[in-house]
């Protein structure tokens, strides 16, 4: 009897367990499936050379940026947002990998500062991991539109080892190098102007000398062999052509528009590029409306020559400069409209920033090409001064991030790496140092979170300054070890140079180092006297941090100088007949 009851209840239990198991399985399936579809989309806007003083929500009352301002009013404004470098290539490498560019060999060295041509072997190394690669593993469809500037090929014109599609992007449409004045027919060149001038000068001298020798030979004044003369002429011509061709064909070889691995416009037709990028962004979002996507819109705006489509020319209060910013804001508006129309707003984390501060030496190329970094000193290309690295930062995620709020603790562009990986459910690489931090809890105002206690500010591969956020007092200090030598003195720019040099005679080594309290002197006007008590303490603390940081920097292959940044004919992207390289598949 007892046995029967026992068996009956055991059977009952088994039935229950089966039910439970089914329920549990169902629950997990639902949870996993639910998690998958609940992953938010990630939409990142990255402007080029845009200064923090140039948009409405960061205090500019005369440039109209309603769409960027909207992101800020619906999200969180990062008012102390710092780029890892004050130049494009290194800053972008750090943004995508969450690591100081010096760790990946993506910093230049005296003179050579960014990738110079499409056809150079250098670029973001294949063993660096972008957030896009990790999000792709997490089920995201990933796209990149616009500027890349992190290399194309390594050894052949089709290996595409540095190309976005080999760095975790499923889709690419844009310019693998960057916009430059050389890309606009009517503009003077901005690439290596002085080198080109020197080259032409020495070539003229050389050929003049050869011609003189030949003339002497003809007049029987010199007993020189014709063969030797011809040999030197051919050698001279080859060297000259090798050095001069990349400038002669610059526009065709470097102002290239690609769709994935295909060249679609060579050279690019700038009048149409902005609308093409908007079209591709809309199509990408429409295609991927039902799955999690990552879209990085990397603008060609606000880089010189500030090419602006006719519709926006002459419309702003700040000539071409303002027109260009207002056009970029319009592009953002068009893309946000699609997010609204597809009802994706609450499922999309949006972010806006600039790769570094505005360009102040632009006046060399035209009076209207000078940017503005608000109250901050310095600009593009200067290692440690705030104007070159403090950039606008905005995050919007309705329902998760409090709308209309501000975060004034130091954050870095490298934090985007760690933050979006966290949002997408991935894990940051464990086999290397990652400098970015997850700033989601900071923006959500949730309890304890990781802080940047120190930040290191490089000018190419030279450490120029360090920032200490003393968490106990909330004060942010900055120590400058090296500053540019301005021309003219006190002007805050380096006239006659493309950007301020980072070492040698054109910098001033600060002995003793200059210290500023950024919390009450953000414009870095009033150095703390070395005699004051805080000076010694801050300097010592920072010096220890710099020493510890230096120990973490290993030696890696250098991507931006030497042969890695020299034109290599075998890597030249070219459709049609070399060297003319010309095609247009966009308008077909
Ligand atoms: C707005 O930005 C423009 C362009 O850089 C600049 O010339 C102007 O001074 C800025 N205005 C304000 C009020 O910040
Ligand atoms: C998004 O969420 C907010 C609240 O966080 C809500 O008011 C709004 O209606 C939602 N919008 C859509 C399109 O679901
Ligand atoms: C990538 O490879 C280079 C050279 O082979 C090496 O020095 C570097 O440490 C590697 N980087 C990572 C992140 O593994």
């Amino acid at each position: 009897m007892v046995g029967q009851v026992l068996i009956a209840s055991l059977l009952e239990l088994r039935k229950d367990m089966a039910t439970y198991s089914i329920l549990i399985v169902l629950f997990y399936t639902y949870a996993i499936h639910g998690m998958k579809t609940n992953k938010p989309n990630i939409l990142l806007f990255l402007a080029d050379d845009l200064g923090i003083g140039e948009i409405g929500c960061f205090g500019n009352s005369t440039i109209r940026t309603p769409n960027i301002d909207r992101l800020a009013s619906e999200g969180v404004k990062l008012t102390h947002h710092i780029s890892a470098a004050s130049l494009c290539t290194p800053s972008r490498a750090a943004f995508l990998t969450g690591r100081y560019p010096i760790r990946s060999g993506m910093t230049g060295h005296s003179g050579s500062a960014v990738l110079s041509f499409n056809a150079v072997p250098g670029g973001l190394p294949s063993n660096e991991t972008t957030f896009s690669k990790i999000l792709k593993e997490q089920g995201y469809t990933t796209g990149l539109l616009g500027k890349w500037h992190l290399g194309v090929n390594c050894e052949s014109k089709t290996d595409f080892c540095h190309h976005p599609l080999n760095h975790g992007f499923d889709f690419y449409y844009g310019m693998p190098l960057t916009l430059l004045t050389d890309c606009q027919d009517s503009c003077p060149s901005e690439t290596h102007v002085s080198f080109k001038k020197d080259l032409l000068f020495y070539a003229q001298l050389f050929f003049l000398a050869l011609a003189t020798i030949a003339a002497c030979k003809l007049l029987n004044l010199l007993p020189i062999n014709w063969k030797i003369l011809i040999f030197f002429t051919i050698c001279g011509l080859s060297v000259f052509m090798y050095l001069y061709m990349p400038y002669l064909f610059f526009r065709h070889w470097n102002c290239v528009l690609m769709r994935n691995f295909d060249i679609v416009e060579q050279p690019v037709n700038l009048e149409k590029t902005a609308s093409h990028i908007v079209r591709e962004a809309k199509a990408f979002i429409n295609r991927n409306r039902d799955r999690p996507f990552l879209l990085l819109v990397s603008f060609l705006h606000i880089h010189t020559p500030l090419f602006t489509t006719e519709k926006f020319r002459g419309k702003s209060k700040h000539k071409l400069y303002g027109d260009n910013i207002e056009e970029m804001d319009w592009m953002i508006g068009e893309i946000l409209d699609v997010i609204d129309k597809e009802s994706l707003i609450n499922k999309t984390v949006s972010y806006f920033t600039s790769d570094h501060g505005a360009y102040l030496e632009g006046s060399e190329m035209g009076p209207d090409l000078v940017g503005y970094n608000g109250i901050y000193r310095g600009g593009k290309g200067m290692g440690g001064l705030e104007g070159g690295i403090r950039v606008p930062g905005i995050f919007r995620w309705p329902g998760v991030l409090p709308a209309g709020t501000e975060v004034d603790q130091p954050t870095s562009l490298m934090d985007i790496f760690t933050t979006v990986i966290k949002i997408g459910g991935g894990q940051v690489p464990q086999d290397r140092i990652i400098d970015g931090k997850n700033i989601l809890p900071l923006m959500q105002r949730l309890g304890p979170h990781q802080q940047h206690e120190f930040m290191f500010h490089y000018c190419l591969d030279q450490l120029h300054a360090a920032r200490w956020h003393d968490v106990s007092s909330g004060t942010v200090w900055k120590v400058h070890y090296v500053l540019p030598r301005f021309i003219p003195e006190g002007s805050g720019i380096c006239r006659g140079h493309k950007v301020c040099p980072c070492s040698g005679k054109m910098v001033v080594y600060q002995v003793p180092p200059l210290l500023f309290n950024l919390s009450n002197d953000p414009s870095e006007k009033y150095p703390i006297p070395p005699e004051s008590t805080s000076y010694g303490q801050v300097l010592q603390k920072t010096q220890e941090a710099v020493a510890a940081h230096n120990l973490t920097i290993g030696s890696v292959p250098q991507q931006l100088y030497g042969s890695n940044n020299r034109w290599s004919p075998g890597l030249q992207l070219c459709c049609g007949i070399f060297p003319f390289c010309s095609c247009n598949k966009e308008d077909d």
Side-chain angles (χ1 to χ4, degrees):
M1 187 63 192
V2 174
Q4 265 175 358
V5 169
L6 199 67
I7 287 168
S9 44
L10 270 179
L11 278 176
E12 199 60 20
L13 190 68
R14 240 174 58 192
K15 240 165 60 195
D16 282 355
M17 269 172 64
T19 321
Y20 284 137
S21 314
I22 289 171
L23 275 179
I24 286 168
V25 168
L26 273 179
F27 175 77
Y28 272 110
T29 322
Y30 173 81
I32 288 165
H33 181 74
M35 251 164 60
K36 248 190 195 151
T37 51
N38 275 338
K39 285 188 177 176
N41 305 310
I42 294 165
L43 174 60
L44 310 173
F45 296 108
L46 177 62
D48 198 1
D49 291 12
L50 172 78
I52 192 167
E54 306 186 317
I55 51 179
C57 56
F58 279 84
N60 197 307
S61 49
T62 43
I63 286 184
R64 291 164 298 183
T65 53
N67 296 297
I68 300 171
D69 300 350
R70 174 187 165 196
L71 281 179
S73 70
E74 296 173 354
V76 180
K77 216 162 85 174
L78 305 172
T79 60
H80 198 137
H81 201 40
I82 306 294
S83 67
S86 61
L87 285 172
C88 307
T89 302
S91 168
R92 286 157 190 265
F95 175 71
L96 283 162
T97 61
R99 286 149 58 76
Y100 283 109
I102 192 130
R103 299 197 194 284
S104 51
M106 294 296 279
T107 46
H109 181 68
S110 67
S112 164
V114 298
L115 289 171
S116 308
F117 308 112
N118 277 327
V120 299
L124 189 63
S126 304
N127 64 355
E128 289 294 330
T129 303
T130 64
F131 56 75
S132 181
K133 199 181 224 169
I134 294 176
L135 288 177
K136 194 173 148 156
E137 286 161 11
Q138 292 298 314
Y140 277 76
T141 303
T142 55
L144 169 67
L145 300 176
K147 167 168 171 165
W148 174 241
H149 213 176
L150 293 171
V152 184
N153 292 310
C154 291
E155 285 167 3
S156 85
K157 64 180 96 187
T158 50
D159 65 33
F160 295 112
C161 66
H162 304 301
H163 187 281
L165 263 51
N166 281 321
H167 270 300
F169 291 97
D170 295 310
F171 177 69
Y172 175 56
Y173 181 89
M175 285 177 72
L177 198 70
T178 174
L179 194 58
L180 291 161
T181 57
D182 306 67
C183 298
Q184 193 180 338
D185 245 347
S186 52
C187 278
S189 160
E190 71 175 275
T191 52
H192 306 73
V193 185
S194 56
F195 176 68
K196 202 157 107 182
K197 261 195 249 150
D198 292 350
L199 184 66
L200 285 175
F201 177 71
Y202 289 119
Q204 276 166 5
L205 277 188
F206 179 79
F207 290 113
L208 201 68
L210 278 181
T212 315
I213 295 172
C216 294
K217 167 85 185 162
L218 279 176
L219 297 172
N220 274 329
L221 293 174
L222 262 181
I224 195 168
N225 191 325
W226 277 118
K227 276 188 195 146
I228 296 179
L229 211 55
I230 292 171
F231 173 77
F232 274 107
T233 311
I234 292 174
C235 281
L237 266 179
S238 319
V239 171
F240 174 72
M241 283 313 279
Y242 170 71
L243 294 176
Y244 194 61
M245 290 249 288
Y247 300 103
L248 194 62
F249 293 100
F250 193 95
R251 190 159 79 95
H252 283 253
W253 290 359
N254 297 291
C255 307
V256 175
L257 188 68
M258 292 185 97
R259 173 190 296 277
N260 298 325
F261 293 132
D262 294 329
I263 301 171
V264 292
E265 277 180 11
Q266 190 170 17
V268 62
N269 174 359
L270 290 178
E271 191 61 44
K272 296 196 171 163
T273 317
S275 61
H276 285 336
I277 288 178
V278 169
R279 177 197 71 199
E280 293 297 330
K282 288 178 172 175
F284 181 89
I285 296 168
N286 283 324
R287 279 202 300 280
N288 297 298
R289 47 184 292 193
D290 295 323
R291 55 184 147 203
F293 65 77
L294 160 77
L295 179 61
L296 169 55
V297 185
S298 170
F299 293 98
L300 302 173
H301 300 62
I302 314 295
H303 203 288
T304 48
L306 303 173
F307 187 89
T308 307
T309 334
E310 203 186 338
K311 199 173 136 200
F312 288 90
R313 286 202 287 262
K315 295 288 155 61
S316 77
K317 289 193 180 136
H318 293 283
K319 305 206 177 128
L320 193 54
Y321 208 97
D323 299 347
N324 199 242
I325 294 173
E326 294 191 4
E327 181 175 61
M328 180 183 72
D329 184 77
W330 164 80
M331 293 170 77
I332 292 175
E334 289 288 297
I335 298 167
L336 293 182
D337 269 359
V338 187
I339 297 289
D340 288 337
K341 283 206 190 94
E342 299 285 2
S343 306
L344 294 174
I345 178 163
N346 290 351
K347 270 170 63 178
T348 303
V349 184
S350 312
Y351 168 74
F352 175 83
T353 198
S354 172
D355 60 352
H356 50 72
Y359 187 33
L360 305 183
E361 280 87 6
S363 59
E364 310 267 310
M365 286 172 285
D368 303 337
L369 302 187
V370 182
Y372 179 65
N373 291 313
I375 61 167
Y376 302 105
R377 255 177 84 195
K380 174 177 177 176
M382 302 178 201
L385 282 168
E386 210 65 2
I389 48 180
R390 195 181 290 215
V391 292
I394 304 169
F395 259 100
R396 178 183 80 170
W397 190 1
V400 178
L401 298 178
T405 57
E406 280 184 19
V407 164
D408 60 7
Q409 272 106 315
T411 52
S412 163
L413 255 69
M414 295 185 288
D415 297 340
I416 307 320
F417 177 87
T418 308
T419 305
V420 301
I421 287 172
K422 190 85 190 163
I423 291 172
Q427 200 194 23
V428 302
Q430 304 293 303
D431 62 344
R432 63 196 70 187
I433 296 174
I434 299 292
D435 299 295
K437 309 212 181 287
N438 173 17
I439 56 170
L440 205 55
L442 177 65
M443 296 190 292
Q444 286 179 290
R445 297 167 185 270
L446 297 176
H449 49 260
Q450 298 176 304
Q451 298 259 18
H452 282 279
E453 213 189 330
F454 293 94
M455 287 189 191
F456 305 96
H457 307 300
Y458 285 85
C459 195
L460 305 186
D461 55 356
Q462 308 287 309
L463 185 78
H464 274 200
R467 176 183 317 247
W468 177 33
H469 178 203
D470 178 2
V471 181
S472 63
S473 69
T475 308
V476 182
W477 305 92
K478 181 131 62 95
V479 180
H480 288 276
Y481 302 105
V482 187
L483 279 168
R485 190 183 294 280
F486 295 120
I487 310 170
E489 212 185 309
S491 63
I493 63 166
C494 296
R495 181 148 293 143
H497 291 261
K498 186 148 195 290
V499 293
C500 289
C502 298
S503 56
K505 292 200 190 92
M506 285 299 298
V507 298
V508 185
Y509 293 91
Q510 305 293 316
V511 189
L514 271 189
L515 172 67
F516 294 102
N517 177 341
L518 288 184
S519 298
N520 54 32
D521 176 24
S523 305
E524 301 175 276
K525 277 192 192 144
Y526 311 105
I528 308 286
E531 309 79 63
S532 75
T533 44
S534 49
Y535 184 93
Q537 285 163 1
V538 175
L539 241 80
Q540 194 193 338
K541 189 89 181 150
T542 311
Q543 198 50 50
E544 285 165 15
V546 167
H549 167 76
N550 285 341
L551 289 178
T552 69
I553 308 294
S555 103
V556 289
Q558 293 304 323
Q559 303 294 327
L560 303 192
Y561 56 91
S563 58
N564 268 344
N565 204 2
R566 217 169 285 141
W567 179 64
S568 171
L571 303 184
Q572 187 57 56
L573 295 173
C574 183
C575 61
I577 301 159
F578 185 83
F580 307 104
C581 302
S582 179
C583 62
N584 183 347
K585 299 180 191 160
E586 270 301 311
D587 292 339
D588 291 352

